[in-house]
Amino acid sequence: MCEVIAVANQKGGVGKTTTAVNLAASLALAEKNVLLIDFDPQSNATTSLGFRRNDLEFDIYHVLMGSKKISQIIQKTEMPFMDLAPSNIGLVGIEKEFYNKKNASRELILKKKIEEVIDLYDFIIIDSPPALGPLTINALAAADSVIIPIQCEFFALEGLAQLLSTIKILRDSINTKLEIKGFLPTMYSSQNNLSKQVFADLSQHFDTKLFKDREKKSYIIVPRSIKLAESPSFGKPVLLYDIKSNGSIAYQALAQTILQGA
């Protein structure tokens, strides 16, 4: 059975794309067949894997519009078990297309599109945009679960209530199986008192929904990492750029936790 995981937070700059790309790569490293869907008009996941978005004739926009099947836009990546459904800036216009059409099931378009390939993968990871618009709603409607990255910085929890409310509404209506797989602290610095305070707040309110490394018996926290920041510019997930870096180790631990049934 394929598990569909959305990575979502309407707040930008929280490590959402970094999480989607490196979780997908870490699952692929464990020889699981993974499809990463870049569902963000900024298409950072696409460029993070070494693709020049303007060189790709077709992308997820064409799938949503019905002119291509998702199997026709999938790109092979540098990792043997990892594929990409790329995005482009044209995706930003999809909201107008969605709401110009009298389509009662517009929130389920992505879910219907991925049914074609869902049996080919163990995991489908969806990188959603930093907004609670139609694209994020589609991602959540298609997902079995959602990972919410939260940066350990000022205003980290701002807007979280709105996202949780949206998840609850979707669970009560069009996607009853949707669950929060976990909150993932990102950009953590052990030298920073603010990072420590934000993590303390997270663990106080959401302890049961924080990922834990069963072997080390510790929380999984993604640190601030130069290697994580550099790897997209080389078109590689961090484990292909520096597999021994702290960021790579954190995402591999996250993947293992998910494989163990987190």
Side-chain angles (χ1 to χ4, degrees), residues 7-19 40 42 44 127-131 148-158 184-188 222-224 229 251:
V7 182
N9 190 328
Q10 80 270 27
K11 186 172 171 58
V14 300
K16 181 177 53 57
T17 296
T18 299
T19 295
D40 186 344
Q42 298 177 79
N44 289 335
D127 181 27
S128 60
I148 303 173
I150 299 179
Q151 85 280 31
C152 294
E153 295 181 350
F154 197 55
F155 292 138
L157 303 182
E158 189 180 67
L184 181 68
T186 62
M187 305 181 193
Y188 180 84
V222 180
R224 275 205 171 277
Y251 281 113

PDB file of all heavy atoms in Angstrom, residues 7-19 40 42 44 127-131 148-158 184-188 222-224 229 251:
ATOM      1  N   VAL A   7       3.564  17.581   2.947  1.00  0.00           N
ATOM      2  CA  VAL A   7       4.391  18.415   3.821  1.00  0.00           C
ATOM      3  C   VAL A   7       3.817  19.820   3.714  1.00  0.00           C
ATOM      4  O   VAL A   7       3.821  20.406   2.633  1.00  0.00           O
ATOM      5  CB  VAL A   7       5.870  18.383   3.413  1.00  0.00           C
ATOM      6  CG1 VAL A   7       6.705  19.231   4.367  1.00  0.00           C
ATOM      7  CG2 VAL A   7       6.384  16.938   3.387  1.00  0.00           C
ATOM      8  N   ALA A   8       3.280  20.328   4.811  1.00  0.00           N
ATOM      9  CA  ALA A   8       2.508  21.564   4.723  1.00  0.00           C
ATOM     10  C   ALA A   8       2.740  22.490   5.903  1.00  0.00           C
ATOM     11  O   ALA A   8       2.925  22.034   7.036  1.00  0.00           O
ATOM     12  CB  ALA A   8       1.014  21.241   4.612  1.00  0.00           C
ATOM     13  N   ASN A   9       2.747  23.762   5.610  1.00  0.00           N
ATOM     14  CA  ASN A   9       2.708  24.838   6.596  1.00  0.00           C
ATOM     15  C   ASN A   9       2.502  26.116   5.798  1.00  0.00           C
ATOM     16  O   ASN A   9       3.268  26.396   4.875  1.00  0.00           O
ATOM     17  CB  ASN A   9       4.009  24.915   7.406  1.00  0.00           C
ATOM     18  CG  ASN A   9       3.897  25.859   8.592  1.00  0.00           C
ATOM     19  OD1 ASN A   9       3.183  26.861   8.542  1.00  0.00           O
ATOM     20  ND2 ASN A   9       4.611  25.559   9.660  1.00  0.00           N
ATOM     21  N   GLN A  10       1.449  26.857   6.112  1.00  0.00           N
ATOM     22  CA  GLN A  10       1.186  28.055   5.299  1.00  0.00           C
ATOM     23  C   GLN A  10       2.203  29.154   5.530  1.00  0.00           C
ATOM     24  O   GLN A  10       2.286  30.116   4.765  1.00  0.00           O
ATOM     25  CB  GLN A  10      -0.231  28.596   5.558  1.00  0.00           C
ATOM     26  CG  GLN A  10      -0.402  29.426   6.811  1.00  0.00           C
ATOM     27  CD  GLN A  10      -0.790  28.561   8.004  1.00  0.00           C
ATOM     28  OE1 GLN A  10      -0.466  27.379   8.065  1.00  0.00           O
ATOM     29  NE2 GLN A  10      -1.493  29.151   8.954  1.00  0.00           N
ATOM     30  N   LYS A  11       3.025  29.006   6.563  1.00  0.00           N
ATOM     31  CA  LYS A  11       4.092  29.965   6.813  1.00  0.00           C
ATOM     32  C   LYS A  11       5.298  29.600   5.946  1.00  0.00           C
ATOM     33  O   LYS A  11       5.698  28.447   5.882  1.00  0.00           O
ATOM     34  CB  LYS A  11       4.462  29.936   8.295  1.00  0.00           C
ATOM     35  CG  LYS A  11       5.467  30.990   8.716  1.00  0.00           C
ATOM     36  CD  LYS A  11       5.612  30.982  10.234  1.00  0.00           C
ATOM     37  CE  LYS A  11       6.768  31.858  10.686  1.00  0.00           C
ATOM     38  NZ  LYS A  11       6.641  33.255  10.245  1.00  0.00           N
ATOM     39  N   GLY A  12       5.869  30.577   5.258  1.00  0.00           N
ATOM     40  CA  GLY A  12       7.019  30.318   4.405  1.00  0.00           C
ATOM     41  C   GLY A  12       8.320  30.271   5.192  1.00  0.00           C
ATOM     42  O   GLY A  12       8.399  30.714   6.332  1.00  0.00           O
ATOM     43  N   GLY A  13       9.346  29.708   4.586  1.00  0.00           N
ATOM     44  CA  GLY A  13      10.672  29.693   5.192  1.00  0.00           C
ATOM     45  C   GLY A  13      10.828  28.797   6.392  1.00  0.00           C
ATOM     46  O   GLY A  13      11.653  29.042   7.273  1.00  0.00           O
ATOM     47  N   VAL A  14      10.041  27.719   6.443  1.00  0.00           N
ATOM     48  CA  VAL A  14      10.085  26.840   7.614  1.00  0.00           C
ATOM     49  C   VAL A  14      10.848  25.538   7.345  1.00  0.00           C
ATOM     50  O   VAL A  14      10.939  24.682   8.213  1.00  0.00           O
ATOM     51  CB  VAL A  14       8.661  26.506   8.114  1.00  0.00           C
ATOM     52  CG1 VAL A  14       7.919  27.773   8.494  1.00  0.00           C
ATOM     53  CG2 VAL A  14       7.879  25.705   7.067  1.00  0.00           C
ATOM     54  N   GLY A  15      11.373  25.397   6.118  1.00  0.00           N
ATOM     55  CA  GLY A  15      12.069  24.156   5.776  1.00  0.00           C
ATOM     56  C   GLY A  15      11.144  23.121   5.169  1.00  0.00           C
ATOM     57  O   GLY A  15      11.425  21.923   5.209  1.00  0.00           O
ATOM     58  N   LYS A  16      10.050  23.575   4.588  1.00  0.00           N
ATOM     59  CA  LYS A  16       9.052  22.664   4.025  1.00  0.00           C
ATOM     60  C   LYS A  16       9.598  21.901   2.813  1.00  0.00           C
ATOM     61  O   LYS A  16       9.534  20.668   2.765  1.00  0.00           O
ATOM     62  CB  LYS A  16       7.804  23.464   3.653  1.00  0.00           C
ATOM     63  CG  LYS A  16       6.665  22.671   3.084  1.00  0.00           C
ATOM     64  CD  LYS A  16       5.467  23.560   2.833  1.00  0.00           C
ATOM     65  CE  LYS A  16       5.852  24.759   1.992  1.00  0.00           C
ATOM     66  NZ  LYS A  16       6.464  24.405   0.683  1.00  0.00           N
ATOM     67  N   THR A  17      10.142  22.638   1.845  1.00  0.00           N
ATOM     68  CA  THR A  17      10.701  21.980   0.660  1.00  0.00           C
ATOM     69  C   THR A  17      11.922  21.152   1.029  1.00  0.00           C
ATOM     70  O   THR A  17      12.108  20.040   0.522  1.00  0.00           O
ATOM     71  CB  THR A  17      11.062  23.022  -0.408  1.00  0.00           C
ATOM     72  OG1 THR A  17       9.863  23.673  -0.844  1.00  0.00           O
ATOM     73  CG2 THR A  17      11.735  22.373  -1.611  1.00  0.00           C
ATOM     74  N   THR A  18      12.748  21.681   1.913  1.00  0.00           N
ATOM     75  CA  THR A  18      13.912  20.919   2.391  1.00  0.00           C
ATOM     76  C   THR A  18      13.474  19.592   2.979  1.00  0.00           C
ATOM     77  O   THR A  18      14.086  18.547   2.727  1.00  0.00           O
ATOM     78  CB  THR A  18      14.679  21.739   3.453  1.00  0.00           C
ATOM     79  OG1 THR A  18      15.137  22.950   2.855  1.00  0.00           O
ATOM     80  CG2 THR A  18      15.868  20.964   3.998  1.00  0.00           C
ATOM     81  N   THR A  19      12.390  19.618   3.741  1.00  0.00           N
ATOM     82  CA  THR A  19      11.872  18.395   4.350  1.00  0.00           C
ATOM     83  C   THR A  19      11.318  17.446   3.295  1.00  0.00           C
ATOM     84  O   THR A  19      11.609  16.244   3.319  1.00  0.00           O
ATOM     85  CB  THR A  19      10.789  18.740   5.385  1.00  0.00           C
ATOM     86  OG1 THR A  19      11.397  19.469   6.458  1.00  0.00           O
ATOM     87  CG2 THR A  19      10.118  17.490   5.930  1.00  0.00           C
ATOM     88  N   ASP A  40       4.262  23.270  -5.553  1.00  0.00           N
ATOM     89  CA  ASP A  40       4.477  24.674  -5.206  1.00  0.00           C
ATOM     90  C   ASP A  40       4.876  25.433  -6.476  1.00  0.00           C
ATOM     91  O   ASP A  40       5.820  25.033  -7.161  1.00  0.00           O
ATOM     92  CB  ASP A  40       5.592  24.770  -4.160  1.00  0.00           C
ATOM     93  CG  ASP A  40       5.797  26.171  -3.626  1.00  0.00           C
ATOM     94  OD1 ASP A  40       5.313  27.139  -4.247  1.00  0.00           O
ATOM     95  OD2 ASP A  40       6.469  26.309  -2.580  1.00  0.00           O
ATOM     96  N   GLN A  42       6.570  27.950  -6.834  1.00  0.00           N
ATOM     97  CA  GLN A  42       7.966  28.383  -6.783  1.00  0.00           C
ATOM     98  C   GLN A  42       8.895  27.304  -7.321  1.00  0.00           C
ATOM     99  O   GLN A  42      10.051  27.576  -7.631  1.00  0.00           O
ATOM    100  CB  GLN A  42       8.355  28.751  -5.350  1.00  0.00           C
ATOM    101  CG  GLN A  42       7.544  29.908  -4.792  1.00  0.00           C
ATOM    102  CD  GLN A  42       7.902  30.197  -3.348  1.00  0.00           C
ATOM    103  OE1 GLN A  42       8.908  30.829  -3.056  1.00  0.00           O
ATOM    104  NE2 GLN A  42       7.066  29.726  -2.424  1.00  0.00           N
ATOM    105  N   ASN A  44      10.662  24.999  -6.068  1.00  0.00           N
ATOM    106  CA  ASN A  44      11.975  24.835  -5.444  1.00  0.00           C
ATOM    107  C   ASN A  44      12.391  23.372  -5.318  1.00  0.00           C
ATOM    108  O   ASN A  44      13.579  23.052  -5.386  1.00  0.00           O
ATOM    109  CB  ASN A  44      11.984  25.496  -4.060  1.00  0.00           C
ATOM    110  CG  ASN A  44      11.955  27.006  -4.142  1.00  0.00           C
ATOM    111  OD1 ASN A  44      12.380  27.584  -5.133  1.00  0.00           O
ATOM    112  ND2 ASN A  44      11.442  27.657  -3.116  1.00  0.00           N
ATOM    113  N   ASP A 127       5.028  18.253  -1.812  1.00  0.00           N
ATOM    114  CA  ASP A 127       5.533  19.537  -1.293  1.00  0.00           C
ATOM    115  C   ASP A 127       4.509  20.615  -1.633  1.00  0.00           C
ATOM    116  O   ASP A 127       4.362  21.000  -2.782  1.00  0.00           O
ATOM    117  CB  ASP A 127       6.889  19.869  -1.913  1.00  0.00           C
ATOM    118  CG  ASP A 127       7.464  21.171  -1.376  1.00  0.00           C
ATOM    119  OD1 ASP A 127       7.138  21.537  -0.231  1.00  0.00           O
ATOM    120  OD2 ASP A 127       8.235  21.828  -2.100  1.00  0.00           O
ATOM    121  N   SER A 128       3.788  21.095  -0.630  1.00  0.00           N
ATOM    122  CA  SER A 128       2.718  22.062  -0.864  1.00  0.00           C
ATOM    123  C   SER A 128       3.221  23.491  -0.720  1.00  0.00           C
ATOM    124  O   SER A 128       4.256  23.737  -0.093  1.00  0.00           O
ATOM    125  CB  SER A 128       1.556  21.807   0.106  1.00  0.00           C
ATOM    126  OG  SER A 128       2.009  21.930   1.444  1.00  0.00           O
ATOM    127  N   PRO A 129       2.501  24.467  -1.273  1.00  0.00           N
ATOM    128  CA  PRO A 129       2.950  25.865  -1.211  1.00  0.00           C
ATOM    129  C   PRO A 129       2.709  26.488   0.160  1.00  0.00           C
ATOM    130  O   PRO A 129       1.903  25.970   0.952  1.00  0.00           O
ATOM    131  CB  PRO A 129       2.088  26.551  -2.275  1.00  0.00           C
ATOM    132  CG  PRO A 129       0.861  25.715  -2.361  1.00  0.00           C
ATOM    133  CD  PRO A 129       1.292  24.305  -2.099  1.00  0.00           C
ATOM    134  N   PRO A 130       3.379  27.603   0.457  1.00  0.00           N
ATOM    135  CA  PRO A 130       3.209  28.276   1.750  1.00  0.00           C
ATOM    136  C   PRO A 130       1.958  29.145   1.776  1.00  0.00           C
ATOM    137  O   PRO A 130       2.027  30.367   1.853  1.00  0.00           O
ATOM    138  CB  PRO A 130       4.489  29.113   1.870  1.00  0.00           C
ATOM    139  CG  PRO A 130       4.853  29.421   0.456  1.00  0.00           C
ATOM    140  CD  PRO A 130       4.452  28.209  -0.342  1.00  0.00           C
ATOM    141  N   ALA A 131       0.806  28.500   1.686  1.00  0.00           N
ATOM    142  CA  ALA A 131      -0.477  29.198   1.716  1.00  0.00           C
ATOM    143  C   ALA A 131      -1.566  28.152   1.927  1.00  0.00           C
ATOM    144  O   ALA A 131      -1.365  26.968   1.662  1.00  0.00           O
ATOM    145  CB  ALA A 131      -0.714  29.944   0.404  1.00  0.00           C
ATOM    146  N   ILE A 148       4.183  18.569   9.470  1.00  0.00           N
ATOM    147  CA  ILE A 148       4.185  20.024   9.601  1.00  0.00           C
ATOM    148  C   ILE A 148       5.552  20.472  10.125  1.00  0.00           C
ATOM    149  O   ILE A 148       5.842  20.319  11.312  1.00  0.00           O
ATOM    150  CB  ILE A 148       3.075  20.494  10.559  1.00  0.00           C
ATOM    151  CG1 ILE A 148       1.712  19.991  10.073  1.00  0.00           C
ATOM    152  CG2 ILE A 148       3.073  22.019  10.675  1.00  0.00           C
ATOM    153  CD1 ILE A 148       0.574  20.258  11.049  1.00  0.00           C
ATOM    154  N   PRO A 149       6.412  21.001   9.241  1.00  0.00           N
ATOM    155  CA  PRO A 149       7.691  21.537   9.713  1.00  0.00           C
ATOM    156  C   PRO A 149       7.459  22.861  10.451  1.00  0.00           C
ATOM    157  O   PRO A 149       6.659  23.690  10.005  1.00  0.00           O
ATOM    158  CB  PRO A 149       8.492  21.774   8.420  1.00  0.00           C
ATOM    159  CG  PRO A 149       7.702  21.114   7.330  1.00  0.00           C
ATOM    160  CD  PRO A 149       6.292  21.105   7.781  1.00  0.00           C
ATOM    161  N   ILE A 150       8.143  23.030  11.557  1.00  0.00           N
ATOM    162  CA  ILE A 150       8.038  24.269  12.330  1.00  0.00           C
ATOM    163  C   ILE A 150       9.438  24.740  12.678  1.00  0.00           C
ATOM    164  O   ILE A 150      10.182  24.030  13.368  1.00  0.00           O
ATOM    165  CB  ILE A 150       7.217  24.065  13.612  1.00  0.00           C
ATOM    166  CG1 ILE A 150       5.789  23.628  13.265  1.00  0.00           C
ATOM    167  CG2 ILE A 150       7.187  25.338  14.446  1.00  0.00           C
ATOM    168  CD1 ILE A 150       4.911  23.384  14.463  1.00  0.00           C
ATOM    169  N   GLN A 151       9.806  25.919  12.173  1.00  0.00           N
ATOM    170  CA  GLN A 151      11.149  26.416  12.434  1.00  0.00           C
ATOM    171  C   GLN A 151      11.265  26.919  13.873  1.00  0.00           C
ATOM    172  O   GLN A 151      10.325  27.491  14.422  1.00  0.00           O
ATOM    173  CB  GLN A 151      11.551  27.508  11.434  1.00  0.00           C
ATOM    174  CG  GLN A 151      11.101  28.921  11.766  1.00  0.00           C
ATOM    175  CD  GLN A 151       9.655  29.193  11.408  1.00  0.00           C
ATOM    176  OE1 GLN A 151       8.822  28.294  11.441  1.00  0.00           O
ATOM    177  NE2 GLN A 151       9.359  30.429  11.088  1.00  0.00           N
ATOM    178  N   CYS A 152      12.411  26.662  14.468  1.00  0.00           N
ATOM    179  CA  CYS A 152      12.633  27.043  15.871  1.00  0.00           C
ATOM    180  C   CYS A 152      13.092  28.500  15.939  1.00  0.00           C
ATOM    181  O   CYS A 152      14.237  28.802  16.318  1.00  0.00           O
ATOM    182  CB  CYS A 152      13.645  26.109  16.516  1.00  0.00           C
ATOM    183  SG  CYS A 152      13.038  24.416  16.654  1.00  0.00           S
ATOM    184  N   GLU A 153      12.198  29.394  15.538  1.00  0.00           N
ATOM    185  CA  GLU A 153      12.506  30.813  15.511  1.00  0.00           C
ATOM    186  C   GLU A 153      11.289  31.609  15.972  1.00  0.00           C
ATOM    187  O   GLU A 153      10.204  31.057  16.172  1.00  0.00           O
ATOM    188  CB  GLU A 153      12.922  31.238  14.093  1.00  0.00           C
ATOM    189  CG  GLU A 153      14.216  30.588  13.636  1.00  0.00           C
ATOM    190  CD  GLU A 153      14.632  31.022  12.233  1.00  0.00           C
ATOM    191  OE1 GLU A 153      13.822  31.681  11.546  1.00  0.00           O
ATOM    192  OE2 GLU A 153      15.767  30.690  11.833  1.00  0.00           O
ATOM    193  N   PHE A 154      11.451  32.904  16.086  1.00  0.00           N
ATOM    194  CA  PHE A 154      10.378  33.793  16.523  1.00  0.00           C
ATOM    195  C   PHE A 154       9.170  33.665  15.592  1.00  0.00           C
ATOM    196  O   PHE A 154       9.323  33.484  14.385  1.00  0.00           O
ATOM    197  CB  PHE A 154      10.892  35.235  16.530  1.00  0.00           C
ATOM    198  CG  PHE A 154      10.041  36.184  17.335  1.00  0.00           C
ATOM    199  CD1 PHE A 154       9.746  35.913  18.664  1.00  0.00           C
ATOM    200  CD2 PHE A 154       9.547  37.338  16.769  1.00  0.00           C
ATOM    201  CE1 PHE A 154       8.974  36.779  19.418  1.00  0.00           C
ATOM    202  CE2 PHE A 154       8.769  38.216  17.506  1.00  0.00           C
ATOM    203  CZ  PHE A 154       8.480  37.938  18.827  1.00  0.00           C
ATOM    204  N   PHE A 155       7.969  33.726  16.151  1.00  0.00           N
ATOM    205  CA  PHE A 155       6.716  33.584  15.411  1.00  0.00           C
ATOM    206  C   PHE A 155       6.525  32.173  14.854  1.00  0.00           C
ATOM    207  O   PHE A 155       5.722  31.966  13.952  1.00  0.00           O
ATOM    208  CB  PHE A 155       6.609  34.583  14.245  1.00  0.00           C
ATOM    209  CG  PHE A 155       6.476  36.016  14.681  1.00  0.00           C
ATOM    210  CD1 PHE A 155       7.174  37.019  14.027  1.00  0.00           C
ATOM    211  CD2 PHE A 155       5.657  36.373  15.737  1.00  0.00           C
ATOM    212  CE1 PHE A 155       7.053  38.343  14.420  1.00  0.00           C
ATOM    213  CE2 PHE A 155       5.535  37.693  16.145  1.00  0.00           C
ATOM    214  CZ  PHE A 155       6.226  38.681  15.480  1.00  0.00           C
ATOM    215  N   ALA A 156       7.248  31.197  15.373  1.00  0.00           N
ATOM    216  CA  ALA A 156       7.179  29.835  14.831  1.00  0.00           C
ATOM    217  C   ALA A 156       5.765  29.263  14.854  1.00  0.00           C
ATOM    218  O   ALA A 156       5.338  28.593  13.915  1.00  0.00           O
ATOM    219  CB  ALA A 156       8.123  28.916  15.597  1.00  0.00           C
ATOM    220  N   LEU A 157       5.041  29.533  15.933  1.00  0.00           N
ATOM    221  CA  LEU A 157       3.719  28.929  16.081  1.00  0.00           C
ATOM    222  C   LEU A 157       2.611  29.814  15.524  1.00  0.00           C
ATOM    223  O   LEU A 157       1.439  29.449  15.577  1.00  0.00           O
ATOM    224  CB  LEU A 157       3.453  28.627  17.564  1.00  0.00           C
ATOM    225  CG  LEU A 157       4.487  27.730  18.245  1.00  0.00           C
ATOM    226  CD1 LEU A 157       4.097  27.462  19.689  1.00  0.00           C
ATOM    227  CD2 LEU A 157       4.654  26.417  17.494  1.00  0.00           C
ATOM    228  N   GLU A 158       2.998  30.972  14.986  1.00  0.00           N
ATOM    229  CA  GLU A 158       2.005  31.889  14.431  1.00  0.00           C
ATOM    230  C   GLU A 158       1.312  31.257  13.227  1.00  0.00           C
ATOM    231  O   GLU A 158       1.941  30.748  12.319  1.00  0.00           O
ATOM    232  CB  GLU A 158       2.683  33.190  13.994  1.00  0.00           C
ATOM    233  CG  GLU A 158       1.710  34.293  13.603  1.00  0.00           C
ATOM    234  CD  GLU A 158       2.444  35.562  13.190  1.00  0.00           C
ATOM    235  OE1 GLU A 158       3.123  35.530  12.149  1.00  0.00           O
ATOM    236  OE2 GLU A 158       2.350  36.559  13.922  1.00  0.00           O
ATOM    237  N   LEU A 184       7.611  18.644  12.888  1.00  0.00           N
ATOM    238  CA  LEU A 184       9.058  18.477  12.750  1.00  0.00           C
ATOM    239  C   LEU A 184       9.765  19.796  13.030  1.00  0.00           C
ATOM    240  O   LEU A 184       9.698  20.728  12.219  1.00  0.00           O
ATOM    241  CB  LEU A 184       9.400  17.992  11.336  1.00  0.00           C
ATOM    242  CG  LEU A 184      10.889  17.759  11.072  1.00  0.00           C
ATOM    243  CD1 LEU A 184      11.394  16.568  11.885  1.00  0.00           C
ATOM    244  CD2 LEU A 184      11.141  17.532   9.581  1.00  0.00           C
ATOM    245  N   PRO A 185      10.444  19.915  14.168  1.00  0.00           N
ATOM    246  CA  PRO A 185      11.216  21.135  14.442  1.00  0.00           C
ATOM    247  C   PRO A 185      12.373  21.257  13.459  1.00  0.00           C
ATOM    248  O   PRO A 185      13.120  20.300  13.232  1.00  0.00           O
ATOM    249  CB  PRO A 185      11.734  20.917  15.874  1.00  0.00           C
ATOM    250  CG  PRO A 185      10.878  19.825  16.442  1.00  0.00           C
ATOM    251  CD  PRO A 185      10.508  18.957  15.287  1.00  0.00           C
ATOM    252  N   THR A 186      12.524  22.432  12.853  1.00  0.00           N
ATOM    253  CA  THR A 186      13.593  22.669  11.879  1.00  0.00           C
ATOM    254  C   THR A 186      14.398  23.906  12.264  1.00  0.00           C
ATOM    255  O   THR A 186      13.976  24.709  13.086  1.00  0.00           O
ATOM    256  CB  THR A 186      13.011  22.869  10.468  1.00  0.00           C
ATOM    257  OG1 THR A 186      12.162  24.021  10.469  1.00  0.00           O
ATOM    258  CG2 THR A 186      12.201  21.656  10.017  1.00  0.00           C
ATOM    259  N   MET A 187      15.571  24.026  11.639  1.00  0.00           N
ATOM    260  CA  MET A 187      16.448  25.195  11.846  1.00  0.00           C
ATOM    261  C   MET A 187      16.780  25.389  13.323  1.00  0.00           C
ATOM    262  O   MET A 187      16.877  26.515  13.824  1.00  0.00           O
ATOM    263  CB  MET A 187      15.805  26.459  11.266  1.00  0.00           C
ATOM    264  CG  MET A 187      15.422  26.320   9.808  1.00  0.00           C
ATOM    265  SD  MET A 187      14.684  27.820   9.142  1.00  0.00           S
ATOM    266  CE  MET A 187      14.010  27.204   7.610  1.00  0.00           C
ATOM    267  N   TYR A 188      16.990  24.287  14.003  1.00  0.00           N
ATOM    268  CA  TYR A 188      17.277  24.341  15.435  1.00  0.00           C
ATOM    269  C   TYR A 188      18.752  24.609  15.684  1.00  0.00           C
ATOM    270  O   TYR A 188      19.628  24.025  15.035  1.00  0.00           O
ATOM    271  CB  TYR A 188      16.894  23.008  16.084  1.00  0.00           C
ATOM    272  CG  TYR A 188      17.149  22.950  17.573  1.00  0.00           C
ATOM    273  CD1 TYR A 188      16.213  23.445  18.471  1.00  0.00           C
ATOM    274  CD2 TYR A 188      18.338  22.402  18.072  1.00  0.00           C
ATOM    275  CE1 TYR A 188      16.441  23.390  19.840  1.00  0.00           C
ATOM    276  CE2 TYR A 188      18.569  22.349  19.435  1.00  0.00           C
ATOM    277  CZ  TYR A 188      17.624  22.846  20.302  1.00  0.00           C
ATOM    278  OH  TYR A 188      17.857  22.792  21.663  1.00  0.00           O
ATOM    279  N   VAL A 222      15.634  18.831  13.158  1.00  0.00           N
ATOM    280  CA  VAL A 222      16.509  19.186  12.035  1.00  0.00           C
ATOM    281  C   VAL A 222      17.305  20.434  12.417  1.00  0.00           C
ATOM    282  O   VAL A 222      16.727  21.489  12.683  1.00  0.00           O
ATOM    283  CB  VAL A 222      15.701  19.457  10.759  1.00  0.00           C
ATOM    284  CG1 VAL A 222      16.640  19.835   9.612  1.00  0.00           C
ATOM    285  CG2 VAL A 222      14.867  18.230  10.387  1.00  0.00           C
ATOM    286  N   PRO A 223      18.621  20.328  12.476  1.00  0.00           N
ATOM    287  CA  PRO A 223      19.434  21.455  12.915  1.00  0.00           C
ATOM    288  C   PRO A 223      19.650  22.484  11.811  1.00  0.00           C
ATOM    289  O   PRO A 223      19.427  22.204  10.624  1.00  0.00           O
ATOM    290  CB  PRO A 223      20.765  20.787  13.268  1.00  0.00           C
ATOM    291  CG  PRO A 223      20.859  19.653  12.282  1.00  0.00           C
ATOM    292  CD  PRO A 223      19.451  19.145  12.122  1.00  0.00           C
ATOM    293  N   ARG A 224      20.060  23.669  12.218  1.00  0.00           N
ATOM    294  CA  ARG A 224      20.579  24.612  11.216  1.00  0.00           C
ATOM    295  C   ARG A 224      21.824  23.981  10.620  1.00  0.00           C
ATOM    296  O   ARG A 224      22.680  23.489  11.336  1.00  0.00           O
ATOM    297  CB  ARG A 224      20.931  25.942  11.877  1.00  0.00           C
ATOM    298  CG  ARG A 224      19.741  26.863  12.013  1.00  0.00           C
ATOM    299  CD  ARG A 224      20.171  28.320  12.090  1.00  0.00           C
ATOM    300  NE  ARG A 224      19.015  29.203  12.004  1.00  0.00           N
ATOM    301  CZ  ARG A 224      18.443  29.573  10.889  1.00  0.00           C
ATOM    302  NH1 ARG A 224      18.919  29.136   9.733  1.00  0.00           N
ATOM    303  NH2 ARG A 224      17.400  30.373  10.886  1.00  0.00           N
ATOM    304  N   ALA A 229      21.638  23.913   3.539  1.00  0.00           N
ATOM    305  CA  ALA A 229      21.414  25.151   2.787  1.00  0.00           C
ATOM    306  C   ALA A 229      22.116  25.125   1.437  1.00  0.00           C
ATOM    307  O   ALA A 229      21.618  25.682   0.453  1.00  0.00           O
ATOM    308  CB  ALA A 229      21.891  26.347   3.607  1.00  0.00           C
ATOM    309  N   TYR A 251      17.346  13.694   8.630  1.00  0.00           N
ATOM    310  CA  TYR A 251      16.305  13.250   7.701  1.00  0.00           C
ATOM    311  C   TYR A 251      16.310  11.741   7.503  1.00  0.00           C
ATOM    312  O   TYR A 251      15.253  11.128   7.290  1.00  0.00           O
ATOM    313  CB  TYR A 251      16.421  13.995   6.361  1.00  0.00           C
ATOM    314  CG  TYR A 251      15.827  15.377   6.455  1.00  0.00           C
ATOM    315  CD1 TYR A 251      16.627  16.521   6.369  1.00  0.00           C
ATOM    316  CD2 TYR A 251      14.464  15.549   6.675  1.00  0.00           C
ATOM    317  CE1 TYR A 251      16.074  17.792   6.486  1.00  0.00           C
ATOM    318  CE2 TYR A 251      13.919  16.818   6.804  1.00  0.00           C
ATOM    319  CZ  TYR A 251      14.721  17.926   6.701  1.00  0.00           C
ATOM    320  OH  TYR A 251      14.164  19.184   6.827  1.00  0.00           O
TER     321      TYR A 251
END
